Amino acid sequence: MKQTTALNILKTGENCFVTGSAGTGKSYLLNQYIQYLKERKITPTITAPTGIAASHLGGQTIHSFFGLGIRDQIDERFLNSLRTKKHILKRFEKLKVLIIDEISMVSPEIFTAIDRILRAFIEPFAPFGGVQVVVCGDFFQLPPVSKEPREKRFAWQSPAWRELAFHSCYLDEKYRQDDPRLIQLLDEIRSGTLSNTSHTLLQERIDATLSLDYTPTKLYTHNVDVDGINEAELEKLSTPTYTFEAITKGSERDITKILSMSLLKESLTLKRDAVVIFIKNSQEGSYVNGTTGVVTGFDSNDGLPIVTLADHTRLKVRREEWVREDEEGKRLATITQLPLRLAWAITIHKSQGMTLDSAQIDLSKTFEMGQGYVALSRVKNSQTLKLLGINEMALRVDPLIRTVDQRIQHASQQAQATLEAIEDLPRVQRAHIRELGGTNNTAQIARMRTSLNQKSSTTPKPSSHQQTLALLSQHPTLSALAKARGLTTNTILTHLAKLKEADPTLDLEPFRPSPKHFKPILKAIEALEHDANPADYNDAGKLKLKSIYDKLEGKIGYEKIQNVLLFIEER
């Protein structure tokens, strides 16, 4: 399902389960819906099972919002105690839309507890009190943390899940990865059938040499003393020390809450050549949560760090705000600090949701199904990945999830068919907004949009493929262009395909491949077109690279196929 289709389903007010493989833009879709609601004067409630996950969308933890404390299960006595708390009553009075991110890490007990609480406070005869529920996540990723083995581990095993009658939105367009071999590997881990091609790729990446001018982040499966590793690496640098203290405002309790829900440091020490990671999305789009880089200097005027990213972009990093608000939107506490953290090492658990430019991953001690999949899916391209070790568990996912996943994909197709059958979709969507108490007035929506976006930059950073376009005439070979951009040739070919699609008259003649590759690739394409197998085509109606690669029996690599496809209309 495409993001636009899923967004239209969300706008109808149906309970939705947003899922899809890593890098398909699930969080981006949620942010689109959140923005849509806020523009119409509706404030959704955003929650997640962990503080780090909650901070990605500007929400709070499930335990905090629902007053659960450290509980996983509740009883009538607990519900009675909640009823005496005025702030809880006020909180649920305003609850119209509930969003739960990283649903794979929510246990069935917690999911059932939320249902019981909302029935007790809002509508006793409707699941989750009758509010619109949007859950998001990928069950192939990290499951709930449990000290003891449990027969039922996942939220979908709660009776409340079935009662919500979710419309499944299975996103299938990849946005993070631009490497067909890596995409194939990740898809095969999900399906439980690793091909020789994928095994070969993994072997190639063990102790691979990375052509980078900085040290990539190391990911660990165990909660080793990552902070200790980072501090030790920082100590090795002989460059001067710069320390940045957080500016805090509010009660100590609320300040502590912000710190527990984020990766920020109250006291951040940096040096030139330190490897860092951004822990917040930039409003201007210049970096995202998970962008890595190296400190290459400090501004002579204000001392703020200059960070060089993997694509050689140099950024002066300014302080950002982390805010804790009450139900009225009043600020309880604020922490202002640099959105950076030392990043020689992080845990796989903390990396979930991040997009890393490159990584060194140690999977030799993988102990949980899904850990390997999460780690490997953090990077965009296999050429920026180095494996320090791998065991059999790293390639495993829960077989139960694999079975359920097939049902979810089928349910997603049904949800799309249901949407397409709606005769007047805008009318249904406007009715949902009215039911929530929002506005459909276009002038009011425009004013709210302006207000929400007033902090956004008016000059957004050009997209990655637009940056490639600017260098075309200066670097007339694939290798030269890739080197200038600090990217792989596979990525450059993906950029060229996007550029040509946008402008068919674009002159790409300098990048024409050798004629000897045209004939066999064209022959394979013609054979696939003759077979007309739907499985060989993507949603856009184009042949999949993997299908062409398989038809050629692996005798011609993905890169050469991509290159020929740029000129395929001339056959």
Side-chain angles (χ1 to χ4, degrees):
M1 181 181 291
K2 295 181 181 297
Q3 286 185 346
T4 51
T5 303
L7 183 59
N8 273 324
I9 294 173
L10 288 169
K11 290 177 181 179
T12 63
E14 297 289 350
N15 296 329
C16 291
F17 170 36
V18 177
T19 189
S21 59
T24 50
K26 296 183 291 294
S27 294
Y28 177 79
L29 173 63
L30 287 188
N31 276 317
Q32 282 187 304
Y33 188 50
I34 291 166
Q35 177 79 4
Y36 169 83
L37 292 173
K38 287 182 176 180
E39 287 174 0
R40 286 151 183 79
K41 299 186 178 181
I42 300 158
T43 303
T45 296
I46 306 163
T47 64
T50 68
I52 293 170
S55 69
H56 290 171
L57 288 173
Q60 62 188 104
T61 64
I62 290 170
H63 281 76
S64 172
F65 181 81
F66 291 99
L68 289 169
I70 60 172
R71 299 172 185 82
D72 284 345
Q73 301 184 53
I74 61 173
D75 54 22
E76 196 62 34
R77 182 178 177 182
F78 171 76
L79 288 173
N80 288 333
S81 70
L82 273 188
R83 291 187 181 99
T84 65
K85 299 177 180 178
K86 291 183 179 179
H87 70 284
I88 294 289
L89 286 167
K90 205 169 186 179
R91 179 179 297 173
F92 294 142
E93 281 176 5
K94 297 182 177 181
L95 178 55
K96 302 293 183 183
V97 179
L98 174 64
I99 294 173
I100 305 176
D101 197 17
E102 298 294 1
I103 191 65
S104 72
M105 293 192 281
V106 178
S107 70
E109 291 81 10
I110 290 295
F111 202 76
T112 299
I114 296 172
D115 178 48
R116 289 191 63 186
I117 291 170
L118 293 183
R119 285 176 185 265
F121 279 88
I122 304 176
E123 170 53 62
F125 301 109
F128 273 56
V131 303
Q132 183 189 16
V133 182
V134 178
V135 299
C136 179
D138 176 16
F139 285 110
F140 282 103
Q141 298 191 41
L142 296 178
V145 176
S146 177
K147 295 180 180 178
E148 299 177 359
R150 292 182 178 179
E151 183 180 348
K152 295 182 178 181
R153 303 177 67 193
F154 303 103
W156 56 265
Q157 293 173 305
S158 164
W161 184 284
R162 291 188 292 276
E163 290 189 68
L164 286 165
F166 283 118
H167 283 228
S168 294
C169 300
Y170 201 113
L171 304 182
D172 51 21
E173 291 183 302
K174 304 285 196 306
Y175 293 95
R176 178 180 298 149
Q177 284 81 27
D178 55 19
D179 176 357
R181 295 180 74 197
L182 179 57
I183 290 172
Q184 178 181 342
L185 167 64
L186 296 174
D187 287 346
E188 289 178 354
I189 291 176
R190 292 173 74 94
S191 67
T193 54
L194 246 67
S195 64
N196 290 334
T197 301
S198 292
H199 277 295
T200 300
L201 175 60
L202 289 171
Q203 289 301 313
E204 288 175 0
R205 303 322 300 166
I206 293 177
D207 293 324
T209 300
L210 299 179
S211 301
L212 305 170
D213 51 10
Y214 64 94
T215 304
T217 300
K218 289 189 176 81
L219 296 187
Y220 290 91
T221 51
H222 284 67
N223 192 22
V224 294
D225 190 5
V226 166
D227 285 338
I229 293 171
N230 287 325
E231 294 297 335
E233 291 293 332
L234 186 70
E235 187 66 27
K236 292 177 184 178
L237 300 177
S238 58
T239 47
T241 297
Y242 291 77
T243 300
F244 301 87
E245 300 293 344
I247 301 168
T248 62
K249 184 179 180 181
S251 70
E252 185 177 344
R253 178 173 175 271
D254 289 317
I255 293 297
T256 302
K257 279 282 187 183
I258 296 175
L259 290 170
S260 68
M261 288 180 60
S262 64
L263 290 172
L264 69 87
K265 305 282 287 183
E266 274 194 284
S267 181
L268 176 67
T269 300
L270 300 174
K271 295 181 180 180
R272 183 184 176 92
D273 298 327
V275 179
V276 292
I277 190 168
F278 286 85
I279 55 174
K280 198 177 182 73
N281 291 335
S282 162
Q283 292 179 343
E284 297 81 16
S286 52
Y287 55 82
V288 297
N289 173 42
T291 295
T292 52
V294 176
V295 177
T296 50
F298 295 86
D299 189 275
S300 57
N301 294 318
D302 53 25
L304 291 175
I306 308 296
V307 174
T308 300
L309 308 184
D311 63 0
H312 304 294
T313 301
R314 296 178 80 248
L315 297 175
K316 179 178 175 180
V317 185
R318 302 183 185 278
R319 293 176 183 264
E320 296 275 358
E321 280 190 347
W322 281 256
V323 180
R324 178 171 168 77
E325 299 177 339
D326 63 13
E327 291 78 25
E328 302 290 335
K330 180 182 177 182
R331 291 192 174 195
L332 299 174
T334 304
I335 298 180
T336 307
Q337 179 58 296
L338 295 174
L340 296 174
R341 189 180 178 97
L342 296 177
W344 279 281
I346 58 176
T347 62
I348 291 173
H349 190 271
K350 287 182 178 178
S351 77
Q352 183 156 317
M354 290 181 172
T355 299
L356 300 175
D357 298 303
S358 61
Q360 299 182 72
I361 305 176
D362 185 355
L363 295 176
S364 62
K365 298 178 181 178
T366 307
F367 61 92
E368 176 69 77
M369 287 184 287
Q371 273 185 323
Y373 177 76
V374 168
L376 293 168
S377 61
R378 294 310 94 200
V379 296
K380 304 173 186 177
N381 194 289
S382 61
Q383 299 306 301
T384 62
L385 166 67
K386 177 179 180 177
L387 284 175
L388 304 176
I390 189 168
N391 64 12
E392 186 181 346
M393 176 63 81
L395 304 177
R396 292 180 61 190
V397 293
D398 195 319
L400 177 61
I401 298 303
R402 193 178 302 125
T403 301
V404 172
D405 192 63
Q406 294 173 358
R407 299 177 197 165
I408 297 170
Q409 291 187 49
H410 179 66
S412 180
Q413 294 169 0
Q414 290 180 316
Q416 181 164 336
T418 300
L419 178 75
E420 292 169 352
I422 298 176
E423 293 184 1
D424 191 345
L425 182 61
R427 181 185 61 79
V428 173
Q429 294 172 341
R430 288 194 299 270
H432 173 49
I433 294 299
R434 283 197 299 272
E435 186 179 348
L436 294 175
T439 180
N440 286 309
N441 183 285
T442 54
Q444 292 179 349
I445 292 169
R447 285 195 294 271
M448 281 299 296
R449 182 178 298 124
T450 300
S451 175
L452 291 167
N453 295 337
Q454 62 184 354
K455 293 182 180 180
S456 298
S457 170
T458 57
T459 55
K461 181 183 177 183
S463 65
S464 188
H465 65 275
Q466 288 172 330
Q467 294 175 52
T468 297
L469 175 62
L471 296 176
L472 280 187
S473 60
Q474 302 172 40
H475 303 281
T477 67
L478 283 175
S479 58
L481 187 55
K483 185 176 181 181
R485 287 295 326 276
L487 301 172
T488 65
T489 50
N490 271 335
T491 302
I492 294 298
L493 284 165
T494 301
H495 288 182
L496 295 180
K498 289 181 179 179
L499 292 169
K500 188 167 185 182
E501 185 176 356
D503 179 9
T505 65
L506 185 66
D507 181 16
L508 297 180
E509 194 60 30
F511 306 101
R512 179 180 287 276
S514 169
K516 70 179 181 180
H517 297 305
F518 269 83
K519 188 173 181 179
I521 292 174
L522 288 175
K523 188 175 180 181
I525 290 172
E526 288 167 355
L528 290 167
E529 289 175 342
H530 179 268
D531 293 341
N533 184 347
D536 290 327
Y537 291 83
N538 59 26
D539 287 341
K542 296 180 180 179
L543 282 170
K544 296 177 181 178
L545 282 177
K546 183 179 183 300
S547 297
I548 302 173
Y549 177 84
D550 289 343
K551 197 70 175 178
L552 291 163
E553 299 178 342
K555 294 176 181 177
I556 298 179
Y558 281 102
E559 184 177 306
K560 290 184 175 65
I561 296 171
Q562 283 181 286
N563 203 344
V564 166
L565 288 175
L566 289 174
F567 302 87
I568 206 66
E569 76 280 0
E570 299 176 15
R571 65 185 186 211

